[in-house]
Amino acid sequence: MSTFKVVVSNIQQITPLIKQFSFIREDGASFPPFSGGSHVVVAMNINGRLHRNPYSLMGSPQAPDAYHIAVRLQEHSRGGSAYLHHEVKVGSQLEITYPNNLFALDKRARKHLLVAGGIGITPFMSQIDDLIRTKANYELHYAYRSQDHAAFTSALKEKCAERVHVYVESEGLSIDLKALLSKQPLGTHVYVCGPNAMVVALIETARSLGWPENHIHSEQFLAPPSGEPFKVKLAKSNIEVHVPAEMSMLEAIEAAGVDAPYSCRGGACGRCELEVIRTDGVLVHQDHYLSEADKAAGKKIMPCVSRAKCQSLEINL
Amino acid sequence: MSLAFKKETFRDDYTYQNSAEAIRRFPFPFAEDSYMYSVNIEPHTKGPVGAVTEFAFDIDEHYVAECEDKAKTLALDAGRYQALPHMAEAQWDFLELTMESLSNDYPELFSLKKDGLLWTWENKPLGIKNTFTFGDSASFDMDPMEYMGRQVQGDFVLLDQRNGTLYADAGFITSQADWSLAFDVGMAWHEWHGPVPQVTKLGVMDRALKFLMALQLGAPVRRLNWTMTINPRLDTSPENYPLWGGDRNKVTIDNVGELVHLRVELQSLFRLPRSNAILFSIRCYLISMNELTTSARWAKRFHRVLKSLHPDLVEYKGLTKFKDLTVQWLSKKDDGAEVALGTHP
Ligand code: FES
């Protein structure tokens, strides 16, 4: 995967839990432009172990002298967000991938309806720039817990004026999805990013109202869940890799020095799919990508988030 | 590098020819004595100096004549360039990628000066110079894709990615090998791939589509594809079949060397930054049998490849009418000696 070596040029505390990091290229060149909704994967060396976390790019996709990400300090951080919050300083060096877009705007939409919950606002921060620049019709609905979580609200109001609608839960406001989705004109595309419950509720509401499937877009990367340790045999490389409880299978494979494909590292994109040759136990699928039929068949696994409950698992890698 | 551009034609009197240097750098696609369809994708990284893969877009001695031929084809049929409205941003991506590549790689031929969004482009071989506002469609009297499509050798398609697949929503196609709506690249855009023999059953379509949809910014890929054409004709479109289809009947054992051409396409794919679209670029190279067989290795190898080609592929590639004559002609240049692996002359 192509990467940039970057230096942290600025850190801003946006809310008590969210920090925004700005990166410039180590070689001083500017970054390529990107499309709204793109993410990069940030590689961090934490106590000799490589962590790679995906973050949406924010800010203007057009003239990126710097790339910006916003990171929420996770309560049960596996290390990535805590490391960024506590260890990374202005001047720190990191490596990031080129931008990749798994949450692109459909440019044929007559209207774009953006629905964000909490830190789920980040992919929209760049999409909004694209929508404004192309003079597209859009609305942003942004819900968060309390004013303490009001990341970027004033910046958004400045940019989007009356097109942004804010819902503060502690003030008793929440998005009435059914009302919102039923009054949209034909040709509207809806995009949702936020906590799982919100994403699921929106998708289900849209479906129940008869929205065409390809007008519904969502992005939700999962954090790799921990589980019981197991062993995986890599058939082509002919090695056996131990997957500890707190490491994902993908991370363990990488730590063993084997290159495996990935993009989102959160069970959403399908890029990391591996073929299962055999197992003496059961696969624990946790991804959003494989179909129920695929999961039941047990021939494929997404190692970025999924695990196995077994003595051993053999995959074609 | 200094290029001497040839005065030549790709139609009517067909004066197109390759210099000795152009023959040496011809992208001969056969590393082995037999040909099996494969997707054979590799990273589109900087190739050896002088090779057709040295730069992202190859400019060679045929540049000026090929651009003139494009202009003629478009003048006869404006429909060879088409773009749906939602591809506007991808068009600017295409303009930027081609202008930046050409001006960096061939600074003596092309230059791009940027003053914020005010850009000045100069194309010396074609005598073009324009100052325009990047992203402003009122800047040109034509679309950005048509503007640069006329100034880079090869054909171009812009693919929009949505609904879990790729759509060819814009294209500048003036030198296609007998296809118009249908692609024959063997990749996974299911809807436009008619049945490609030997391919569907290999099950490569789904894998290729998945691979392409994961194509990354900054990591373009390429592959070679090939077919054969009678006369060095770029525009072998189905629309113009009456103009070239009959030429297949004119091949005799005495004129195989001049008439029969191997046509190799260097196909490359780039993820575009602003639009998230994919650029599919198809650069065509033509070489006559006389020119090809100046390399004894190539003569032997091509003879063996053609002789052993699967009948389905002979038909699919439209070679039926002249394949046997060509094999017969080539057989005189094949002493049966072993030819080592590799595509070099
Ligand atoms: S990397 Fe995207 S699903 Fe695993």
Side-chain angles (χ1 to χ4, degrees), chain A residues 1-2 33-35 62 98-101 104 106-108 133-134 214 270-271 273 289, chain B residues 86 89 96 134 160-163 169 210-211 214-219 273-276:
Chain A
M1 190 166 285
S2 314
F34 60 96
S35 51
Q62 288 299 302
Y98 272 66
N100 191 356
N101 201 339
D106 189 320
K107 296 187 187 65
R108 298 167 319 147
R133 188 168 37 81
T134 56
N214 54 30
R271 183 81 178 103
E273 181 182 305
Y289 178 77
Chain B
H86 67 273
E89 189 133 63
E96 179 180 38
F134 183 84
D160 192 32
Q161 183 162 337
R162 57 176 196 275
N163 306 340
D169 285 344
K210 195 173 162 190
F211 176 89
L215 185 69
Q216 284 191 311
L217 190 55
R274 295 180 169 81
S275 58
N276 201 43

Short mmCIF file of all heavy atoms in Angstrom, two decimals, chain A residues 1-2 33-35 62 98-101 104 106-108 133-134 214 270-271 273 289, chain B residues 86 89 96 134 160-163 169 210-211 214-219 273-276:
data_model
loop_
_atom_site.label_atom_id
_atom_site.label_comp_id
_atom_site.label_asym_id
_atom_site.label_seq_id
_atom_site.Cartn_x
_atom_site.Cartn_y
_atom_site.Cartn_z
N MET A 1 0.84 -1.20 0.00
CA MET A 1 0.00 0.00 0.00
C MET A 1 0.88 1.25 0.00
O MET A 1 1.83 1.33 0.77
CB MET A 1 -0.90 -0.03 1.24
CG MET A 1 -1.96 1.03 1.20
SD MET A 1 -3.26 0.76 2.42
CE MET A 1 -4.22 -0.55 1.76
N SER A 2 0.59 2.22 -0.88
CA SER A 2 1.41 3.44 -0.93
C SER A 2 1.16 4.30 0.29
O SER A 2 0.03 4.46 0.73
CB SER A 2 1.07 4.26 -2.17
OG SER A 2 1.00 3.44 -3.29
N PRO A 33 -5.03 15.97 -3.93
CA PRO A 33 -6.42 16.23 -3.56
C PRO A 33 -7.10 14.88 -3.29
O PRO A 33 -6.55 13.83 -3.64
CB PRO A 33 -7.03 16.88 -4.79
CG PRO A 33 -5.97 16.94 -5.83
CD PRO A 33 -4.72 16.32 -5.30
N PHE A 34 -8.27 14.90 -2.70
CA PHE A 34 -8.99 13.64 -2.45
C PHE A 34 -10.47 13.90 -2.59
O PHE A 34 -10.89 15.05 -2.74
CB PHE A 34 -8.64 13.08 -1.07
CG PHE A 34 -8.97 13.98 0.09
CD1 PHE A 34 -10.18 13.83 0.78
CD2 PHE A 34 -8.09 14.99 0.49
CE1 PHE A 34 -10.49 14.67 1.84
CE2 PHE A 34 -8.41 15.83 1.56
CZ PHE A 34 -9.61 15.67 2.23
N SER A 35 -11.26 12.85 -2.57
CA SER A 35 -12.71 13.03 -2.70
C SER A 35 -13.35 12.95 -1.32
O SER A 35 -12.89 12.20 -0.46
CB SER A 35 -13.28 11.96 -3.63
OG SER A 35 -12.87 10.69 -3.23
N GLN A 62 -9.57 19.97 -1.84
CA GLN A 62 -9.03 20.57 -3.06
C GLN A 62 -7.56 20.96 -3.00
O GLN A 62 -6.80 20.70 -3.91
CB GLN A 62 -9.86 21.80 -3.44
CG GLN A 62 -11.20 21.41 -3.96
CD GLN A 62 -11.09 20.56 -5.21
OE1 GLN A 62 -10.50 20.97 -6.20
NE2 GLN A 62 -11.63 19.34 -5.16
N TYR A 98 -2.20 6.56 1.42
CA TYR A 98 -2.91 7.46 0.50
C TYR A 98 -4.40 7.39 0.85
O TYR A 98 -4.87 6.38 1.37
CB TYR A 98 -2.72 6.99 -0.94
CG TYR A 98 -1.50 7.52 -1.63
CD1 TYR A 98 -0.22 7.17 -1.19
CD2 TYR A 98 -1.60 8.37 -2.73
CE1 TYR A 98 0.90 7.65 -1.84
CE2 TYR A 98 -0.48 8.85 -3.38
CZ TYR A 98 0.77 8.49 -2.93
OH TYR A 98 1.88 8.96 -3.57
N PRO A 99 -5.15 8.44 0.53
CA PRO A 99 -6.58 8.40 0.82
C PRO A 99 -7.29 7.32 0.01
O PRO A 99 -6.88 7.00 -1.10
CB PRO A 99 -7.09 9.77 0.35
CG PRO A 99 -5.89 10.62 0.18
CD PRO A 99 -4.73 9.71 -0.07
N ASN A 100 -8.33 6.79 0.59
CA ASN A 100 -9.11 5.75 -0.05
C ASN A 100 -10.57 6.07 0.27
O ASN A 100 -10.87 6.44 1.40
CB ASN A 100 -8.70 4.41 0.57
CG ASN A 100 -9.25 3.24 -0.20
OD1 ASN A 100 -10.00 3.41 -1.16
ND2 ASN A 100 -8.89 2.05 0.23
N ASN A 101 -11.45 5.95 -0.70
CA ASN A 101 -12.83 6.35 -0.44
C ASN A 101 -13.79 5.17 -0.49
O ASN A 101 -13.99 4.57 -1.53
CB ASN A 101 -13.27 7.42 -1.44
CG ASN A 101 -14.46 8.19 -0.91
OD1 ASN A 101 -15.17 7.71 -0.02
ND2 ASN A 101 -14.68 9.38 -1.42
N ALA A 104 -18.23 7.30 -0.87
CA ALA A 104 -18.25 8.37 -1.86
C ALA A 104 -19.67 8.89 -2.06
O ALA A 104 -20.64 8.14 -1.95
CB ALA A 104 -17.70 7.86 -3.18
N ASP A 106 -22.74 9.90 -4.30
CA ASP A 106 -23.22 9.53 -5.62
C ASP A 106 -23.51 10.81 -6.36
O ASP A 106 -24.45 11.54 -6.03
CB ASP A 106 -24.47 8.65 -5.52
CG ASP A 106 -24.84 8.08 -6.89
OD1 ASP A 106 -24.73 8.80 -7.90
OD2 ASP A 106 -25.25 6.90 -6.95
N LYS A 107 -22.71 11.09 -7.39
CA LYS A 107 -22.80 12.40 -8.04
C LYS A 107 -24.06 12.58 -8.85
O LYS A 107 -24.37 13.68 -9.31
CB LYS A 107 -21.57 12.62 -8.92
CG LYS A 107 -20.31 12.66 -8.08
CD LYS A 107 -19.11 13.04 -8.90
CE LYS A 107 -17.87 12.89 -8.06
NZ LYS A 107 -17.63 11.46 -7.69
N ARG A 108 -24.81 11.51 -9.05
CA ARG A 108 -26.05 11.69 -9.81
C ARG A 108 -27.23 12.06 -8.93
O ARG A 108 -28.32 12.30 -9.41
CB ARG A 108 -26.37 10.40 -10.57
CG ARG A 108 -25.29 10.02 -11.59
CD ARG A 108 -25.54 8.62 -12.04
NE ARG A 108 -25.91 7.82 -10.88
CZ ARG A 108 -26.75 6.81 -10.90
NH1 ARG A 108 -27.31 6.44 -12.01
NH2 ARG A 108 -27.02 6.15 -9.79
N ARG A 133 -18.78 23.17 -3.27
CA ARG A 133 -18.04 23.54 -4.48
C ARG A 133 -18.82 23.18 -5.74
O ARG A 133 -18.81 23.92 -6.72
CB ARG A 133 -16.68 22.85 -4.48
CG ARG A 133 -15.74 23.29 -5.58
CD ARG A 133 -14.33 22.78 -5.32
NE ARG A 133 -14.38 21.45 -4.74
CZ ARG A 133 -14.55 20.34 -5.43
NH1 ARG A 133 -14.65 20.40 -6.73
NH2 ARG A 133 -14.60 19.17 -4.83
N THR A 134 -19.50 22.02 -5.72
CA THR A 134 -20.23 21.63 -6.93
C THR A 134 -21.67 22.16 -6.91
O THR A 134 -22.48 21.77 -7.75
CB THR A 134 -20.26 20.09 -7.08
OG1 THR A 134 -20.83 19.53 -5.88
CG2 THR A 134 -18.86 19.52 -7.25
N ASN A 214 -29.78 1.34 -3.45
CA ASN A 214 -28.54 2.05 -3.80
C ASN A 214 -28.63 3.57 -3.61
O ASN A 214 -27.75 4.32 -4.04
CB ASN A 214 -28.04 1.67 -5.20
CG ASN A 214 -29.09 1.86 -6.26
OD1 ASN A 214 -29.96 2.73 -6.14
ND2 ASN A 214 -29.05 1.02 -7.29
N GLY A 270 -14.30 -5.13 2.47
CA GLY A 270 -14.15 -6.39 1.73
C GLY A 270 -12.75 -6.64 1.19
O GLY A 270 -12.48 -7.69 0.61
N ARG A 271 -11.87 -5.71 1.37
CA ARG A 271 -10.55 -5.82 0.78
C ARG A 271 -9.70 -6.93 1.41
O ARG A 271 -8.89 -7.54 0.75
CB ARG A 271 -9.84 -4.47 0.93
CG ARG A 271 -8.48 -4.39 0.30
CD ARG A 271 -8.61 -4.13 -1.19
NE ARG A 271 -7.30 -4.01 -1.79
CZ ARG A 271 -6.72 -4.98 -2.51
NH1 ARG A 271 -7.34 -6.10 -2.70
NH2 ARG A 271 -5.53 -4.79 -3.02
N GLU A 273 -10.51 -9.84 2.56
CA GLU A 273 -11.07 -11.20 2.50
C GLU A 273 -10.02 -12.30 2.26
O GLU A 273 -9.21 -12.20 1.36
CB GLU A 273 -12.10 -11.25 1.38
CG GLU A 273 -12.76 -12.59 1.24
CD GLU A 273 -13.75 -12.60 0.07
OE1 GLU A 273 -14.65 -11.74 0.04
OE2 GLU A 273 -13.59 -13.45 -0.82
N TYR A 289 -19.36 -7.06 5.96
CA TYR A 289 -19.16 -7.23 4.53
C TYR A 289 -19.76 -8.52 3.97
O TYR A 289 -20.52 -8.48 3.00
CB TYR A 289 -17.67 -7.14 4.21
CG TYR A 289 -17.38 -7.35 2.74
CD1 TYR A 289 -17.62 -6.33 1.82
CD2 TYR A 289 -16.91 -8.57 2.27
CE1 TYR A 289 -17.38 -6.52 0.48
CE2 TYR A 289 -16.66 -8.76 0.92
CZ TYR A 289 -16.90 -7.73 0.03
OH TYR A 289 -16.67 -7.93 -1.30
N HIS B 86 -22.52 13.97 -14.62
CA HIS B 86 -21.92 13.81 -13.30
C HIS B 86 -20.43 13.47 -13.37
O HIS B 86 -19.79 13.32 -12.33
CB HIS B 86 -22.68 12.74 -12.48
CG HIS B 86 -22.55 11.36 -13.03
ND1 HIS B 86 -23.38 10.87 -13.99
CD2 HIS B 86 -21.68 10.37 -12.76
CE1 HIS B 86 -23.03 9.62 -14.30
NE2 HIS B 86 -21.98 9.31 -13.55
N GLU B 89 -16.27 16.42 -12.71
CA GLU B 89 -15.10 16.46 -11.83
C GLU B 89 -14.02 15.47 -12.29
O GLU B 89 -12.83 15.78 -12.27
CB GLU B 89 -15.56 16.09 -10.43
CG GLU B 89 -14.50 16.31 -9.39
CD GLU B 89 -15.07 17.04 -8.20
OE1 GLU B 89 -15.96 16.47 -7.55
OE2 GLU B 89 -14.61 18.16 -7.93
N GLU B 96 -5.84 17.15 -15.32
CA GLU B 96 -4.70 17.41 -14.44
C GLU B 96 -3.66 16.30 -14.52
O GLU B 96 -2.46 16.55 -14.64
CB GLU B 96 -5.19 17.54 -12.98
CG GLU B 96 -4.04 17.80 -12.01
CD GLU B 96 -4.50 17.94 -10.57
OE1 GLU B 96 -5.43 17.22 -10.16
OE2 GLU B 96 -3.93 18.78 -9.86
N PHE B 134 -8.60 26.36 -13.75
CA PHE B 134 -8.85 24.95 -13.44
C PHE B 134 -10.21 24.80 -12.76
O PHE B 134 -10.52 25.52 -11.80
CB PHE B 134 -7.74 24.40 -12.54
CG PHE B 134 -7.91 22.94 -12.25
CD1 PHE B 134 -7.47 21.99 -13.15
CD2 PHE B 134 -8.57 22.52 -11.10
CE1 PHE B 134 -7.65 20.62 -12.91
CE2 PHE B 134 -8.76 21.15 -10.85
CZ PHE B 134 -8.31 20.22 -11.76
N ASP B 160 -17.06 5.44 -13.34
CA ASP B 160 -17.62 5.90 -12.07
C ASP B 160 -17.88 4.67 -11.19
O ASP B 160 -18.38 3.66 -11.67
CB ASP B 160 -18.94 6.65 -12.33
CG ASP B 160 -19.42 7.41 -11.10
OD1 ASP B 160 -18.58 7.88 -10.32
OD2 ASP B 160 -20.65 7.52 -10.93
N GLN B 161 -17.54 4.78 -9.92
CA GLN B 161 -17.71 3.64 -9.01
C GLN B 161 -18.91 3.88 -8.13
O GLN B 161 -18.94 4.81 -7.32
CB GLN B 161 -16.44 3.47 -8.17
CG GLN B 161 -16.49 2.28 -7.24
CD GLN B 161 -15.10 1.89 -6.76
OE1 GLN B 161 -14.09 2.19 -7.39
NE2 GLN B 161 -15.03 1.22 -5.63
N ARG B 162 -19.91 3.05 -8.26
CA ARG B 162 -21.09 3.15 -7.38
C ARG B 162 -21.86 1.83 -7.43
O ARG B 162 -21.63 1.03 -8.34
CB ARG B 162 -21.98 4.33 -7.78
CG ARG B 162 -22.45 4.29 -9.20
CD ARG B 162 -23.42 5.42 -9.52
NE ARG B 162 -24.10 5.11 -10.76
CZ ARG B 162 -23.63 5.39 -11.96
NH1 ARG B 162 -22.48 6.00 -12.10
NH2 ARG B 162 -24.31 5.04 -13.04
N ASN B 163 -22.75 1.65 -6.47
CA ASN B 163 -23.57 0.43 -6.40
C ASN B 163 -22.74 -0.83 -6.47
O ASN B 163 -23.16 -1.83 -7.04
CB ASN B 163 -24.59 0.38 -7.56
CG ASN B 163 -25.43 1.62 -7.64
OD1 ASN B 163 -25.55 2.37 -6.67
ND2 ASN B 163 -26.01 1.87 -8.80
N ASP B 169 -18.88 5.98 -17.74
CA ASP B 169 -19.77 7.12 -17.91
C ASP B 169 -19.18 8.26 -18.73
O ASP B 169 -19.82 9.28 -18.93
CB ASP B 169 -20.24 7.62 -16.53
CG ASP B 169 -21.28 6.67 -15.92
OD1 ASP B 169 -21.85 5.86 -16.68
OD2 ASP B 169 -21.52 6.75 -14.71
N LYS B 210 -13.35 -6.79 -8.21
CA LYS B 210 -13.02 -6.51 -6.82
C LYS B 210 -11.65 -5.82 -6.73
O LYS B 210 -11.46 -4.85 -5.99
CB LYS B 210 -13.01 -7.83 -6.04
CG LYS B 210 -13.03 -7.61 -4.56
CD LYS B 210 -13.18 -8.89 -3.78
CE LYS B 210 -12.74 -8.59 -2.37
NZ LYS B 210 -12.62 -9.75 -1.54
N PHE B 211 -10.74 -6.33 -7.52
CA PHE B 211 -9.40 -5.76 -7.56
C PHE B 211 -9.46 -4.30 -8.01
O PHE B 211 -8.86 -3.41 -7.41
CB PHE B 211 -8.54 -6.57 -8.52
CG PHE B 211 -7.16 -6.02 -8.71
CD1 PHE B 211 -6.14 -6.43 -7.86
CD2 PHE B 211 -6.88 -5.11 -9.71
CE1 PHE B 211 -4.86 -5.92 -8.01
CE2 PHE B 211 -5.60 -4.59 -9.86
CZ PHE B 211 -4.59 -5.01 -9.02
N ALA B 214 -10.83 -1.73 -5.60
CA ALA B 214 -9.91 -1.41 -4.51
C ALA B 214 -8.69 -0.66 -5.02
O ALA B 214 -7.76 -0.41 -4.26
CB ALA B 214 -9.51 -2.69 -3.80
N LEU B 215 -8.69 -0.30 -6.30
CA LEU B 215 -7.54 0.41 -6.88
C LEU B 215 -7.27 1.69 -6.10
O LEU B 215 -8.18 2.45 -5.81
CB LEU B 215 -7.84 0.75 -8.34
CG LEU B 215 -6.71 1.38 -9.15
CD1 LEU B 215 -5.60 0.36 -9.38
CD2 LEU B 215 -7.23 1.89 -10.49
N GLN B 216 -5.99 1.89 -5.79
CA GLN B 216 -5.67 3.02 -4.91
C GLN B 216 -5.05 4.20 -5.62
O GLN B 216 -4.30 4.04 -6.57
CB GLN B 216 -4.72 2.53 -3.85
CG GLN B 216 -5.43 1.73 -2.81
CD GLN B 216 -4.54 1.47 -1.65
OE1 GLN B 216 -3.41 1.06 -1.82
NE2 GLN B 216 -5.04 1.75 -0.47
N LEU B 217 -5.34 5.33 -5.07
CA LEU B 217 -4.69 6.56 -5.48
C LEU B 217 -3.18 6.36 -5.33
O LEU B 217 -2.72 5.81 -4.34
CB LEU B 217 -5.17 7.66 -4.51
CG LEU B 217 -4.85 9.10 -4.83
CD1 LEU B 217 -5.35 9.47 -6.21
CD2 LEU B 217 -5.52 10.01 -3.80
N GLY B 218 -2.43 6.80 -6.33
CA GLY B 218 -0.98 6.71 -6.22
C GLY B 218 -0.43 5.34 -6.57
O GLY B 218 0.77 5.12 -6.48
N ALA B 219 -1.30 4.39 -6.94
CA ALA B 219 -0.82 3.05 -7.26
C ALA B 219 -1.50 2.51 -8.53
O ALA B 219 -2.23 1.52 -8.49
CB ALA B 219 -1.06 2.10 -6.08
N PRO B 273 -8.05 11.43 -8.03
CA PRO B 273 -8.17 11.91 -6.65
C PRO B 273 -9.48 12.63 -6.31
O PRO B 273 -10.09 12.32 -5.29
CB PRO B 273 -6.98 12.86 -6.49
CG PRO B 273 -6.58 13.25 -7.87
CD PRO B 273 -6.95 12.09 -8.76
N ARG B 274 -9.90 13.60 -7.11
CA ARG B 274 -11.04 14.45 -6.71
C ARG B 274 -12.37 13.74 -6.85
O ARG B 274 -13.28 13.93 -6.07
CB ARG B 274 -11.09 15.71 -7.54
CG ARG B 274 -9.93 16.62 -7.33
CD ARG B 274 -10.07 17.85 -8.22
NE ARG B 274 -9.09 18.82 -7.83
CZ ARG B 274 -7.83 18.79 -8.23
NH1 ARG B 274 -7.44 17.84 -9.05
NH2 ARG B 274 -6.98 19.70 -7.83
N SER B 275 -12.48 12.94 -7.90
CA SER B 275 -13.78 12.34 -8.24
C SER B 275 -13.91 10.92 -7.74
O SER B 275 -15.00 10.37 -7.78
CB SER B 275 -13.91 12.33 -9.76
OG SER B 275 -12.83 11.58 -10.30
N ASN B 276 -12.81 10.30 -7.34
CA ASN B 276 -12.81 8.88 -6.98
C ASN B 276 -13.14 7.99 -8.18
O ASN B 276 -13.39 6.80 -8.05
CB ASN B 276 -13.77 8.58 -5.83
CG ASN B 276 -13.43 7.27 -5.12
OD1 ASN B 276 -12.26 6.99 -4.87
ND2 ASN B 276 -14.44 6.47 -4.80
#
